[in-house]
Amino acid sequence: EFQKKFYAERAKLSLIKRVGQPEDIANLVSFIASDDAKNITGSIMVTDGGFMVKHWTICKYTAYRSYVLFSN
């Protein structure tokens, strides 16, 4: 019961209104390993269901804080 509530609340935070599944990561890995991605280099690919887009201010602050903490 708790897990269902947790995932339901988490899904509300993403733009696509669902929680990511292991298959989502597997699909990205499969794409990166394929010839379709042969021209992609040095990229950061995010599979968060749009969380960063929806919550950009929070993510930007967290990324900056992590940079400051770990770059010194």
Side-chain angles (χ1 to χ4, degrees):
E1 184 64 29
F2 171 78
Q3 188 174 15
K4 286 182 184 180
K5 286 182 181 180
F6 175 81
Y7 283 122
E9 290 299 315
R10 180 70 177 118
K12 291 178 186 177
L13 298 175
S14 84
L15 287 177
I16 61 174
K17 304 296 184 219
R18 73 176 187 84
V19 176
Q21 300 297 313
E23 296 82 27
D24 298 322
I25 303 299
N27 290 338
L28 177 60
V29 170
S30 178
F31 169 70
I32 292 170
S34 75
D35 284 340
D36 292 335
K38 64 185 171 193
N39 202 41
I40 297 174
T41 60
S43 298
I44 297 172
M45 297 186 179
V46 180
T47 57
D48 67 357
F51 182 87
M52 281 181 56
V53 173
K54 189 173 181 181
H55 305 281
W56 175 243
T57 304
I58 295 168
C59 294
K60 184 171 61 172
Y61 171 75
T62 303
Y64 174 76
R65 205 169 118 217
S66 296
Y67 172 77
V68 170
L69 288 174
F70 296 110
S71 64
N72 292 326

